[in-house]
Amino acid sequence: MEKKVKTAEKGARGIRIKGRFVEAEKPAVYKKNAYKKLLKSKPCGFHRVVIDKLNVRAGATTILENVSLSIACGALTVIIGKNGAGKSTLIKSILGEIPYEGLIEFRDLKDNTIGNLKVGYVPQHLNMEKNAPVSVYDLVAAYTSRVPVFLHKSKKLYEEIKERLQVFDGASLIDKQVGDLSGGELQRVLLTIACTPVPNLLILDEPVSGIDRNGRKLFYKILNDLKQQYDLSIILVSHDLELTAEYADSVVLLDRTVLKEGEAKEVMGSEEFKEVFGYAAF
Amino acid sequence: MQLFEFLNYDFMKNALLAVLIITPLFGMLGTLIVNHRMAFFSDALGHSAFTGMAIGVLFGIGNTSVSMMLFAVVFALLLNYIRHKNIVSSDTVISVFSSLSVAVGLAILSRNGNFSKYSALLVGDILSITGKEIIGLLVILVITVVFWCVAYNGLHSIGINQSLAKSKGIPVALLDNAFVVLVALIVMLSIRWVGILIINALLILPAAAARNIASNNREYHLFSVMISVFSGVLGLIMSYYLNVAAGPMLVLVASVIFFITFLARRLFHV
């Protein structure tokens, strides 16, 4: 038994919890065997995504200034703020799409090592018209595998994707055309893509419209399950303050910099919140 | 058989072979060009053939295909760079560059009233293709199929959401640039046979028609290639019997198919 653990340790990155080796995230897409079942490992409590003194400039304008955050695994951190507060810019910097100053890293507090930050991303919308000839299988397979989707449908991959979709209750969607999905269904498909393989940090950009209240509530519930069952941190850019108050572990009020950070009640009852949104929620 | 009487001529045999290679190639390429909304981009690219040829003539390069390809690759990379800068509306900028390259090309080629020498480039002449050139096209087809097998998933993903593609470790800039370079090379290598004025129609129409009736990527490619080949062969045969240039006939057939699929979608899909 001991030996097995050792060999596993050699080939893979991961941490040891109570003597048991827990493998870190699966290797990124483009590699073979990216389709193991979603690796279930409860949040360990030692992983942190740390953002330190982040500055983003576009020409002479400062879009983000001195943003520092520490996001724990197993926690749902919700970012709120007015339009133009820099929420999308923050996401883009974490995704590495725009140049920034400062630090974004993935820390393991247990042995104080810095790991490779694997980010899963759920975008606000897709650049696709309604009749685009793309099935859910095509969408997921193209993002997560090398089997060319224009050529043939791999049976094995099809079953794997179906299984992954089922984690978010979406197995029945696999043959649908993406344009025919409802907003909520699309969100679950995108979650499947973001969680293949399981990331350290899941970033979600909630659509402003297109999903009704029940759909949104279901989505927050799914996130709630996700953070309890998997070892990952979640950042959600939200436009629904009510659901934020109900589900967020921590709320960040952003307006060029972090105005206020803490529990939902604390942030939403603050002076800063009142100043930005014009009223106090609590 | 009467219908295939045209095959008694060697130039028609060659033309048919060329059509059987070019049309599936264009059917394939078109799928991603339409996905990426690059119809205008590829149009501008086609127009740059004038400048490429003019540069070749100016510098006395014997084989103007070389200068055309070189210029097209540079032009494509430049346009692609502009397309991704969101500063100015990119269609306006592409239009400016397209007009500029046409003007430069025409100005140089029309010196001393010599333009008629090059006007064949406008409509193309598939009947003049030689066996050697057909083999060249076949090589390109094979290269494209291999490229598609390796890069299609990534390119498809980039077209749908670039940030998501990037978060999945897909090499966005590399694939995107490789794709436009491939399009540039293919357009330049086939423009003599197809013609500047209609090459874009051949790239866009089959894919656009396929899009009307396909519900997934396999169907999209299959239909696009089938429509492209069918339009090519039927267009060529019709051009022979009606004594019309082959290129325009081919585009006419493809256009009719586009409208049929468009109606089919409205009637059966909604």
Side-chain angles (χ1 to χ4, degrees), chain A residues 18-57:
Chain A
K18 290 179 189 161
R20 196 169 60 87
F21 182 76
V22 179
E23 217 176 314
E25 82 288 336
K26 287 278 155 194
V29 207
Y30 274 45
K31 288 196 179 151
K32 274 188 179 170
N33 294 331
Y35 295 101
K36 295 274 161 65
K37 280 186 179 179
L38 273 178
L39 186 79
K40 288 209 178 193
S41 59
K42 305 244 164 192
C44 65
F46 292 110
H47 290 152
R48 289 275 186 288
V49 176
V50 177
I51 299 172
D52 195 30
K53 298 194 186 79
L54 183 79
N55 286 299
V56 179
R57 288 189 187 87

Coordinates of all heavy atoms in Angstrom, one line a residue, chain A residues 18-57:
Chain A
K18 N -3.8 13.4 5.8 CA -3.9 12.3 6.7 C -3.2 11.1 6.1 O -3.8 10.0 6.1 CB -5.4 12.0 7.0 CG -6.0 13.1 7.9 CD -7.4 12.8 8.2 CE -8.1 13.9 8.8 NZ -9.6 13.9 8.7
G19 N -2.1 11.2 5.5 CA -1.3 10.1 5.0 C -1.8 9.6 3.7 O -1.2 8.8 3.0
R20 N -3.0 10.1 3.2 CA -3.5 9.7 1.9 C -3.1 10.7 0.9 O -3.1 11.9 1.1 CB -5.0 9.6 2.0 CG -5.7 8.8 0.9 CD -7.1 8.6 1.2 NE -7.8 9.9 1.3 CZ -8.4 10.6 0.3 NH1 -8.3 10.0 -0.9 NH2 -9.0 11.7 0.5
F21 N -2.6 10.1 -0.3 CA -2.2 11.0 -1.3 C -3.4 11.5 -2.2 O -4.1 10.7 -2.7 CB -1.2 10.3 -2.2 CG -0.6 11.2 -3.3 CD1 0.3 12.2 -3.0 CD2 -1.1 11.1 -4.6 CE1 0.8 13.0 -4.0 CE2 -0.6 11.9 -5.6 CZ 0.3 12.8 -5.3
V22 N -3.5 12.8 -2.2 CA -4.6 13.3 -3.0 C -4.0 14.1 -4.2 O -3.2 15.0 -4.1 CB -5.5 14.3 -2.2 CG1 -6.6 14.9 -3.1 CG2 -6.1 13.6 -1.0
E23 N -4.3 13.5 -5.4 CA -3.8 14.1 -6.6 C -4.3 15.5 -6.8 O -5.5 15.7 -6.6 CB -4.1 13.2 -7.8 CG -3.0 13.1 -8.8 CD -3.3 12.2 -9.9 OE1 -3.8 11.1 -9.5 OE2 -3.2 12.5 -11.0
A24 N -3.5 16.4 -7.3 CA -4.0 17.7 -7.6 C -4.7 17.6 -8.9 O -4.9 16.5 -9.4 CB -2.8 18.7 -7.7
E25 N -5.1 18.7 -9.5 CA -5.9 18.8 -10.7 C -5.3 17.9 -11.8 O -4.1 17.7 -11.9 CB -6.1 20.2 -11.2 CG -4.9 20.7 -12.0 CD -3.7 21.0 -11.1 OE1 -3.8 21.2 -9.9 OE2 -2.6 21.0 -11.7
K26 N -6.2 17.3 -12.6 CA -5.7 16.5 -13.8 C -5.0 17.4 -14.8 O -5.3 18.6 -14.8 CB -6.9 15.9 -14.4 CG -7.5 14.8 -13.6 CD -6.8 13.5 -13.8 CE -6.9 12.6 -12.6 NZ -6.0 11.5 -12.7
P27 N -4.0 16.9 -15.5 CA -3.3 17.7 -16.5 C -4.3 18.4 -17.5 O -5.4 17.9 -17.7 CB -2.5 16.7 -17.2 CG -2.9 15.4 -16.8 CD -3.6 15.5 -15.5
A28 N -3.9 19.5 -18.0 CA -4.8 20.4 -18.8 C -5.3 19.6 -20.0 O -4.7 18.6 -20.3 CB -4.1 21.6 -19.2
V29 N -6.2 20.2 -20.6 CA -6.9 19.6 -21.8 C -5.9 18.9 -22.7 O -5.3 18.0 -22.3 CB -7.5 20.7 -22.7 CG1 -8.7 20.2 -23.4 CG2 -7.9 21.9 -21.8
Y30 N -5.8 19.1 -23.9 CA -4.8 18.7 -24.8 C -3.9 17.5 -24.4 O -3.0 17.1 -25.0 CB -3.9 19.8 -25.2 CG -4.5 20.6 -26.3 CD1 -5.9 20.9 -26.3 CD2 -3.8 21.0 -27.4 CE1 -6.5 21.6 -27.3 CE2 -4.4 21.6 -28.5 CZ -5.7 21.9 -28.4 OH -6.3 22.6 -29.4
K31 N -4.2 16.8 -23.2 CA -3.4 15.7 -22.9 C -4.4 14.5 -22.8 O -5.6 14.6 -22.6 CB -2.8 15.9 -21.5 CG -1.7 16.9 -21.6 CD -0.8 16.8 -20.4 CE 0.4 17.8 -20.6 NZ 0.8 18.4 -19.3
K32 N -3.7 13.3 -23.0 CA -4.5 12.1 -22.9 C -5.1 11.9 -21.5 O -4.6 12.5 -20.6 CB -3.6 10.9 -23.3 CG -3.6 10.7 -24.8 CD -2.9 9.4 -25.1 CE -2.8 9.3 -26.6 NZ -1.9 8.2 -27.0
N33 N -6.1 11.1 -21.4 CA -6.7 10.7 -20.2 C -7.3 11.9 -19.4 O -7.3 11.9 -18.2 CB -5.7 10.1 -19.2 CG -5.3 8.7 -19.8 OD1 -6.1 8.1 -20.5 ND2 -4.1 8.3 -19.5
A34 N -7.6 13.0 -20.1 CA -8.2 14.1 -19.4 C -9.6 13.8 -19.0 O -10.3 14.5 -18.3 CB -8.2 15.3 -20.3
Y35 N -10.1 12.6 -19.3 CA -11.5 12.2 -19.0 C -11.6 11.2 -17.9 O -12.5 10.4 -18.0 CB -12.1 11.7 -20.3 CG -12.2 12.7 -21.3 CD1 -11.3 12.8 -22.3 CD2 -13.1 13.8 -21.2 CE1 -11.3 13.8 -23.2 CE2 -13.1 14.8 -22.1 CZ -12.2 14.8 -23.1 OH -12.2 15.8 -24.0
K36 N -10.8 11.3 -16.9 CA -11.2 10.5 -15.8 C -12.4 11.1 -15.2 O -12.7 12.3 -15.4 CB -10.0 10.6 -14.8 CG -8.7 9.9 -15.3 CD -8.7 8.4 -15.1 CE -7.8 7.7 -16.0 NZ -6.4 8.0 -15.8
K37 N -13.1 10.3 -14.4 CA -14.3 10.9 -13.7 C -13.9 12.1 -12.9 O -12.7 12.3 -12.5 CB -14.9 9.9 -12.8 CG -15.7 8.8 -13.5 CD -16.4 8.0 -12.5 CE -17.2 6.9 -13.2 NZ -17.8 6.0 -12.2
L38 N -14.8 13.0 -12.7 CA -14.5 14.2 -11.9 C -14.0 13.7 -10.6 O -14.6 12.9 -9.9 CB -15.8 15.0 -11.6 CG -16.2 16.0 -12.6 CD1 -17.5 16.6 -12.2 CD2 -15.1 17.1 -12.8
L39 N -12.8 14.2 -10.3 CA -12.1 13.7 -9.1 C -12.8 14.3 -7.8 O -12.7 15.5 -7.6 CB -10.7 14.1 -9.2 CG -9.8 13.6 -8.1 CD1 -9.4 12.2 -8.4 CD2 -8.5 14.5 -8.0
K40 N -13.4 13.5 -7.1 CA -14.0 14.0 -5.9 C -13.1 14.1 -4.7 O -12.5 13.1 -4.4 CB -15.2 13.1 -5.5 CG -16.4 13.3 -6.4 CD -17.7 13.0 -5.7 CE -18.9 13.2 -6.7 NZ -20.1 13.2 -6.0
S41 N -12.8 15.3 -4.2 CA -12.0 15.4 -3.0 C -12.5 16.6 -2.3 O -12.5 17.7 -2.9 CB -10.5 15.5 -3.4 OG -10.4 16.7 -4.2
K42 N -12.9 16.4 -1.1 CA -13.5 17.6 -0.4 C -12.5 18.7 -0.3 O -11.3 18.4 -0.3 CB -13.9 17.1 1.0 CG -14.8 15.9 1.0 CD -16.1 16.2 1.6 CE -17.1 15.1 1.2 NZ -18.4 15.4 1.5
P43 N -12.9 19.9 -0.1 CA -12.0 21.0 0.1 C -11.1 20.7 1.2 O -11.5 20.3 2.3 CB -12.9 22.2 0.3 CG -14.3 21.7 0.4 CD -14.3 20.3 -0.2
C44 N -9.8 21.0 1.0 CA -8.8 20.6 2.1 C -8.6 21.8 3.1 O -8.2 21.6 4.2 CB -7.5 20.3 1.5 SG -6.7 21.7 0.6
G45 N -9.0 23.0 2.6 CA -8.9 24.1 3.5 C -7.5 24.8 3.5 O -7.3 25.8 4.2
F46 N -6.6 24.2 2.8 CA -5.3 24.8 2.8 C -4.9 25.5 1.5 O -3.9 26.1 1.4 CB -4.2 23.7 3.0 CG -4.3 23.1 4.4 CD1 -4.8 21.8 4.6 CD2 -3.9 23.9 5.5 CE1 -4.8 21.3 5.9 CE2 -4.0 23.4 6.7 CZ -4.5 22.1 7.0
H47 N -5.8 25.4 0.5 CA -5.5 26.0 -0.8 C -6.0 27.5 -0.8 O -7.1 27.7 -0.4 CB -6.1 25.2 -2.0 CG -5.4 23.9 -2.2 ND1 -6.0 22.8 -2.7 CD2 -4.1 23.5 -1.9 CE1 -5.2 21.8 -2.8 NE2 -4.0 22.2 -2.3
R48 N -5.2 28.3 -1.3 CA -5.6 29.7 -1.5 C -5.3 30.3 -2.8 O -4.2 30.0 -3.3 CB -4.9 30.6 -0.4 CG -5.3 30.4 1.0 CD -6.5 31.3 1.3 NE -6.8 31.2 2.7 CZ -7.3 30.1 3.3 NH1 -7.5 29.0 2.6 NH2 -7.5 30.1 4.6
V49 N -6.2 31.0 -3.4 CA -5.8 31.8 -4.6 C -5.6 33.2 -4.1 O -6.4 33.8 -3.5 CB -6.9 31.8 -5.6 CG1 -6.5 32.7 -6.8 CG2 -7.2 30.4 -6.1
V50 N -4.3 33.6 -4.2 CA -3.9 34.9 -3.7 C -3.7 36.0 -4.8 O -3.0 35.7 -5.7 CB -2.7 34.8 -2.8 CG1 -2.2 36.1 -2.3 CG2 -2.9 33.8 -1.7
I51 N -4.4 37.0 -4.6 CA -4.2 38.2 -5.5 C -3.6 39.3 -4.7 O -4.2 39.7 -3.7 CB -5.5 38.6 -6.2 CG1 -6.1 37.5 -7.0 CG2 -5.3 39.9 -7.1 CD1 -7.5 37.7 -7.5
D52 N -2.5 39.8 -5.1 CA -1.8 40.8 -4.3 C -1.4 42.0 -5.1 O -0.7 41.9 -6.0 CB -0.5 40.1 -3.7 CG 0.0 40.9 -2.5 OD1 -0.8 41.6 -1.8 OD2 1.2 40.9 -2.3
K53 N -1.9 43.1 -4.6 CA -1.6 44.4 -5.2 C -1.7 44.4 -6.7 O -0.8 44.8 -7.4 CB -0.2 44.9 -4.8 CG 0.0 45.0 -3.3 CD 1.2 45.8 -2.9 CE 1.5 45.8 -1.4 NZ 2.0 44.6 -0.9
L54 N -2.8 44.0 -7.2 CA -3.1 44.0 -8.6 C -3.4 45.4 -9.2 O -4.3 46.0 -8.7 CB -4.2 43.0 -8.9 CG -4.5 42.7 -10.4 CD1 -3.5 41.8 -11.0 CD2 -5.9 42.2 -10.5
N55 N -2.7 45.7 -10.2 CA -2.9 47.0 -10.9 C -3.1 46.7 -12.4 O -2.3 46.0 -13.0 CB -1.7 48.0 -10.8 CG -1.7 48.6 -9.4 OD1 -2.6 49.2 -8.9 ND2 -0.6 48.3 -8.6
V56 N -4.1 47.3 -13.0 CA -4.3 47.1 -14.4 C -4.5 48.5 -15.0 O -5.3 49.3 -14.5 CB -5.5 46.2 -14.8 CG1 -5.7 46.2 -16.3 CG2 -5.3 44.9 -14.2
R57 N -3.7 48.8 -16.0 CA -3.9 50.1 -16.7 C -4.2 49.9 -18.2 O -3.7 49.0 -18.8 CB -2.6 50.9 -16.5 CG -2.4 51.4 -15.2 CD -1.2 52.4 -15.1 NE -1.0 52.7 -13.6 CZ -0.2 52.0 -12.9 NH1 0.4 50.9 -13.4 NH2 -0.1 52.3 -11.6

